[in-house]
Amino acid sequence: MNNILYIVIPCYNEEEVLPETAKRLKVKMNSLIEKRKISPESRVVMVNDGSKDKTWPIISALHEEDLLFSGINLSRNRGHQNALLAGLMTVKDLADAVISMDADLQDDINAIDEMVDKFLDGCDIVYGVRSKRTTDSFFKRFTAESFYRLMNAMGANTVFNHADYRLMSKRALEGLAQFKEVNLFLRGIVPMIGYRTDTVTYERSERFAGESKYPLKKMVAFAMEGITSLSVKPIRLITGLGFVVFMVSIIMLIYIFVRFCMGATVAGWASVAVSVWAIGGLMLLSIGVVGEYIGKIYLESKARPRFIIEQFLNESHEKGGEEK
């Protein structure tokens, strides 16, 4: 019996690209079905993350025209990671494997074939890894690669140059469901699941249409979210920095004492002013980092739903108002 494959695509204001994305994925899915690699019950599920344009009407129309396409409409915008999780958790009991990808067609859909082959060979998680980013500007490429290096340096175990293009088996999704945190960073959580994993490399393409949903400001916020969600290394760095500053202050105290014993006076006020500003800045930075963690504890303690589904279009699996 062929395995059922679901492709989950989070969408936010993607009206310009969705028709082309649907067209290409339909060809790919039908090809896999004809080769008997996946079941005819396989689906493409598009998750509308509170879009302000015609994204949801387009998804609904695609579903009406062809049952290959399904749709999940969230009650409001919840962010890319929550929208992706909503799709994964909604279909995990309906599929044998699920592939997540973005709607912008920058991730090569031809890599799906190799992902499916590796799944059939026994892999539970297959990561799509970008081999080249030649279509990106230097600034975009530099900031993106710096993002992955920073994440790993701060203790977040991520796959370099891997975004959210991956295949996960049913049992891998069951493992993901056990992670209950509200502050989501799936690129760091998925590697924690374990099981047999592999990678598929592909060349990143230009965005087919529309604008990037991850400008520099959001990328920085995303990095902070990932670091503070997965690692306590920033707090340990503060501890180490505090120890260094303390040791420097001891050395300065000894220096001043020796100068005093030699009858020399401490010249000027510059060193004092610099010390006060340096220590004051360090304290504010430390309070900010600690506050970031306390804020996350506050949000986790509330245990609010990570998403609310308003409508699920999926042939005989019509649902509404589910909370997760």
Side-chain angles (χ1 to χ4, degrees):
M1 186 176 182
N2 294 333
N3 292 292
I4 298 175
L5 174 70
Y6 272 60
I7 297 179
V8 171
I9 306 174
C11 305
Y12 178 69
N13 294 343
E14 298 287 6
E15 66 177 1
E16 296 179 60
V17 74
L18 273 185
E20 181 65 21
T21 302
K23 177 183 175 181
R24 296 189 189 184
L25 285 175
K26 181 175 180 178
V27 172
K28 176 58 63 180
M29 294 292 279
N30 286 336
S31 173
L32 291 170
I33 292 171
E34 289 174 4
K35 293 176 182 177
R36 295 184 174 275
K37 288 188 176 182
I38 62 174
S39 166
E41 296 298 313
S42 300
R43 298 286 182 268
V44 176
V45 182
M46 299 178 178
V47 184
N48 178 41
D49 184 25
S51 298
K52 298 177 182 178
D53 60 4
K54 298 178 181 179
T55 294
W56 180 243
I58 291 174
I59 294 173
S60 300
L62 287 170
H63 176 69
E64 290 293 326
E65 294 170 7
D66 191 339
L67 292 178
L68 172 68
F69 297 102
S70 296
I72 296 174
N73 191 30
L74 300 187
S75 62
R76 69 177 183 89
N77 178 260
R78 294 294 300 168
H80 180 274
Q81 296 290 279
N82 283 296
L84 177 54
L85 184 72
L88 295 176
M89 294 298 99
T90 301
V91 306
K92 69 181 177 67
D93 295 325
L94 305 175
D96 298 297
V98 178
I99 292 177
S100 59
M101 65 182 297
D102 290 335
D104 55 18
L105 295 176
Q106 288 189 287
D107 296 328
D108 184 9
I109 64 171
N110 290 320
I112 292 175
D113 297 74
E114 193 174 350
M115 286 183 174
V116 171
D117 288 340
K118 289 182 181 293
F119 165 70
L120 296 175
D121 193 43
C123 289
D124 285 286
I125 302 174
V126 183
Y127 298 102
V129 177
R130 296 158 180 166
S131 59
K132 296 181 181 178
R133 308 182 70 114
T134 53
T135 57
D136 290 343
S137 65
F138 171 79
F139 180 76
K140 175 65 175 178
R141 185 165 60 252
F142 174 76
T143 54
E145 292 182 352
S146 297
F147 165 80
Y148 291 105
R149 292 191 177 95
L150 176 63
M151 293 298 300
N152 289 327
M154 287 293 150
N157 181 25
T158 61
V159 179
F160 187 76
N161 264 338
H162 162 73
D164 288 299
Y165 189 23
R166 69 179 75 88
L167 178 147
M168 299 180 70
S169 68
K170 183 187 289 288
R171 73 168 180 169
L173 289 170
E174 292 291 348
L176 178 62
Q178 297 180 47
F179 289 80
K180 302 297 184 181
E181 55 253 54
V182 173
N183 301 285
L184 283 175
F185 186 72
L186 294 176
R187 300 179 198 183
I189 294 175
V190 173
M192 295 181 182
I193 297 172
Y195 298 131
R196 181 180 169 187
T197 65
D198 206 337
T199 61
V200 169
T201 57
Y202 66 95
E203 292 188 22
R204 180 179 172 84
S205 304
E206 293 183 3
R207 183 180 176 88
F208 180 80
E211 298 180 353
S212 172
K213 303 305 184 293
Y214 270 98
L216 180 61
K217 181 179 179 181
K218 282 193 174 182
M219 183 65 76
V220 172
F222 192 49
M224 286 297 297
E225 179 76 17
I227 292 169
T228 54
S229 294
L230 298 170
S231 173
V232 295
K233 199 167 185 177
I235 289 182
R236 290 175 180 169
L237 287 175
I238 287 176
T239 302
L241 186 58
F243 178 76
V244 170
V245 172
F246 175 74
M247 293 304 297
V248 170
S249 67
I250 294 296
I251 294 171
M252 289 298 296
L253 180 62
I254 295 173
Y255 171 75
I256 292 170
F257 180 73
V258 171
R259 295 277 293 178
F260 177 76
C261 292
M262 294 174 63
T265 58
V266 179
W269 54 267
S271 59
V272 176
V274 170
S275 298
V276 170
W277 279 101
I279 294 174
L282 177 61
M283 290 179 64
L284 289 174
L285 174 64
S286 302
I287 292 171
V289 174
V290 174
E292 185 74 20
Y293 280 92
I294 293 174
K296 281 182 165 46
I297 294 170
Y298 172 72
L299 292 175
E300 294 289 348
S301 67
K302 289 177 175 292
R304 289 173 174 170
R306 293 172 288 187
F307 53 84
I308 298 176
I309 296 175
E310 180 179 335
Q311 190 175 10
F312 179 26
L313 305 175
N314 192 47
E315 198 173 9
S316 61
H317 301 288
E318 305 291 340
K319 299 181 181 180
E322 286 196 357
E323 291 189 4
K324 296 287 184 182

